[in-house]
Amino acid sequence: MMTSALTLLYLLKYLRENNPINSIKMKYTIYTIAFCIVTSIGFAQDADAIVGVWKPSNGKVYVKIDKIDDKYYGKIVWLKEPNDPETGKPKTDKNNPDESMQDVPLRGYRMLKDFEYKGDGVWEEGTIYDPQNGTTYDCVINLKDENTLNIRGYVGLKTFGRTDTWKRLQKKT
Amino acid sequence: MKFFFKYLLICQITVLVFSCSVETETHTVKTPVLELKSTGPLFQGPNTATATWEYKVQDLFPELANGIRIENARVSTIKIIPKTGVDYPKLGKVVMEIKPKNNGMTRIGLLETNFDNSKANSLNVAQIQEDFKKAIKGEKLTFVADFDLLEEDYYDDLSFDLIVSFKIFTRK
C-alpha cells in the first residue's frame, strides 16, 4: 500500500509540473481519482485483515478464514479430538438436519460463510454453524485488534446472542 | 341446500387450485467441462479447489424462443473426473458447495468414500436443497470443493474436470 501511495504522489507531482492542461477542474479530477484509488486499496487490505488461522476460546478447533470470490469463509482445519470417542472414526457432522450430509467430515468443515466487509473492522451478512447442535446462526465478526476477533452468533436480533473471542494462531507483530 | 353449498365450495376450491398451479416443463442443463483447480502447495488435511461457470440464461435454453421463466432449479448430478496423465496424491472425502453470484454458499454434494484417482467420481447430491432459481438467474456459479489430502504435502497445483447437471423447471 505504501508503494502504491508513493507512486500516486509521484504521479501527481509529475502531472502538476508537466501537464499542459492546468485548469483547476482538471486538478480536482486528478486528486479525486487518486483519493479513490488510495482509499480502495486501503479498504481491500482492511477487508483481508480477517484472513488467517484462528483459535476459538475453547481451543477445540482451529478455523482458517479465507476469501472466495468477494466474500469470506472459515473452515475447520484442526480438531483437538479428531476422532469420535464412540466409533474411533474421524468426527463427522452427525447433527446435520440433512441426513445425506451427516457423513461430511468436521475437519475441513466450512462453518463460517458469506461474510462481507462493512468497514471499521466489521464483517456482516454471514452465518456460523455449530456442529454440536446442527444449528446455523446469523453472525457478525469484529476485529478487536489484528490478532483478536469477536465473533457474535445470534438469532434474529444481535441482542440475543453470544460472543466468543478468537485469537490468531500465528500472531502478527 | 346444505349439500349444494358444500358442492359449490369444493368446486370453487378446485377451480382456485387449478388456476393458481403453474404448468412447468423440465430441462436438464449440464455445465461444460469445468476446471476444478486448487493452487499448490497443498498440505496434509483439508484443502479447497474452485471452478467458475459463467453463462447466459438464454444460451441454456436455445429451444425456448419466447421468454424464459424459471420456476425451480435443483442440482441433480456432480461428477469430478481426474485428468489423464496426472499423478494425483491420495485424496479423502470431497464436499462440494456452490456459491452463486447473488446468493450465499450452499452445500450440494458429498463423496463419502476416498477419491478414486483412476475414474470419474460421482458425488451424492444433498437431499435437502434450496431452490437454485435465483442462483441460476445470476449467470455465474462458483463450485467450491473441499477435499482431504491424505499425503503429507503436494507441491504442485491440482486440477480436475468437473461436470454438474441441474434439473431446471421452466414455466410453459
Side-chain angles (χ1 to χ4, degrees):
Chain A
M1 185 181 167
M2 198 65 185
T3 326
S4 311
L6 285 172
T7 316
L8 274 166
L9 284 172
Y10 180 77
L11 182 72
L12 281 172
K13 193 173 170 241
Y14 177 82
L15 281 170
R16 202 172 54 217
E17 287 166 3
N18 302 292
N19 194 347
I21 310 161
N22 246 343
S23 72
I24 292 170
K25 196 179 171 187
M26 187 67 188
K27 276 183 186 172
Y28 275 118
T29 312
I30 292 167
Y31 280 120
T32 312
I33 292 167
F35 176 77
C36 289
I37 292 169
V38 170
T39 4
S40 67
I41 292 166
F43 193 80
Q45 284 203 336
D46 288 346
D48 288 350
I50 198 176
V51 172
V53 181
W54 300 86
K55 183 181 171 184
S57 64
N58 64 20
K60 288 181 179 174
V61 294
Y62 295 161
V63 178
K64 185 181 181 185
I65 298 180
D66 48 23
K67 192 179 185 181
I68 298 174
D69 281 353
D70 49 350
K71 292 185 180 177
Y72 294 86
Y73 298 86
K75 65 178 180 183
I76 298 170
V77 288
W78 178 87
L79 286 139
K80 193 176 181 182
E81 292 171 8
N83 293 334
D84 189 328
E86 286 171 21
T87 61
K89 289 180 177 172
K91 281 183 180 171
T92 60
D93 184 23
K94 61 183 182 184
N95 295 315
N96 195 304
D98 182 351
E99 275 184 34
S100 67
M101 290 291 114
Q102 288 180 352
D103 275 344
V104 171
L106 278 192
R107 198 175 76 157
Y109 200 98
R110 190 163 281 111
M111 61 180 295
L112 297 174
K113 280 185 175 179
D114 304 318
F115 285 87
E116 290 174 25
Y117 186 57
K118 299 292 180 186
D120 290 333
V122 179
W123 289 259
E124 286 184 339
E125 315 288 340
T127 56
I128 185 165
Y129 178 75
D130 183 354
Q132 286 186 326
N133 55 23
T135 310
T136 303
Y137 301 95
D138 291 326
C139 184
V140 59
I141 301 174
N142 276 282
L143 186 75
K144 208 171 153 192
D145 60 58
E146 60 181 1
N147 296 312
T148 314
L149 291 179
N150 277 341
I151 307 251
R152 184 165 186 79
Y154 61 95
V155 182
L157 294 170
K158 282 177 196 164
T159 324
F160 306 111
R162 193 174 68 86
T163 302
D164 191 31
T165 301
W166 292 16
K167 291 282 178 190
R168 194 186 287 277
L169 203 63
Q170 201 166 20
K171 286 192 167 58
K172 282 188 176 177
T173 47
Chain B
M1 198 64 177
K2 200 176 164 187
F3 276 112
F4 173 74
F5 278 116
K6 221 179 215 177
Y7 182 72
L8 195 71
L9 189 70
I10 290 168
C11 282
Q12 271 184 329
I13 291 169
T14 316
V15 169
L16 196 73
V17 166
F18 275 95
S19 61
C20 290
S21 67
V22 179
E23 240 186 300
T24 58
E25 53 186 16
T26 313
H27 309 263
T28 301
V29 171
K30 227 180 223 186
T31 64
V33 178
L34 303 169
E35 190 182 29
L36 186 66
K37 189 178 174 184
S38 184
T39 308
L42 307 171
F43 299 101
Q44 191 179 35
N47 289 277
T48 301
T50 57
T52 302
W53 180 37
E54 289 186 78
Y55 54 90
K56 294 271 171 227
V57 170
Q58 190 69 50
D59 299 342
L60 301 181
F61 308 97
E63 71 279 14
L64 297 181
N66 307 325
I68 300 151
R69 292 188 68 177
I70 299 171
E71 288 298 325
N72 194 311
R74 292 176 60 80
V75 175
S76 53
T77 63
I78 307 162
K79 221 174 250 185
I80 303 176
I81 310 147
K83 287 182 185 286
T84 44
V86 177
D87 188 17
Y88 287 95
K90 279 184 186 165
L91 303 174
K93 291 180 178 182
V94 181
V95 179
M96 180 66 75
E97 306 206 56
I98 191 170
K99 158 78 182 73
K101 184 181 162 189
N102 51 10
N103 224 338
M105 190 185 280
T106 313
R107 190 172 313 121
I108 52 169
L110 165 69
L111 179 69
E112 290 194 23
T113 56
N114 285 353
F115 188 83
D116 189 335
N117 293 339
S118 63
K119 61 167 190 163
N121 292 256
S122 290
L123 277 66
N124 292 342
V125 176
Q127 282 167 7
I128 300 174
Q129 281 183 38
E130 66 178 62
D131 181 2
F132 290 116
K133 178 170 77 176
K134 193 180 166 197
I136 293 287
K137 285 178 184 170
E139 301 190 329
K140 184 185 174 189
L141 298 172
T142 302
F143 298 96
V144 182
D146 291 309
F147 59 91
D148 227 2
L149 183 68
L150 302 176
E151 289 176 6
E152 266 190 11
D153 37 35
Y154 187 80
Y155 287 94
D156 215 342
D157 294 348
L158 211 49
S159 288
F160 309 87
D161 289 337
L162 171 71
I163 302 170
V164 180
S165 64
F166 293 86
K167 271 212 159 60
I168 300 177
F169 303 88
T170 57
R171 190 177 282 200
K172 269 187 180 172

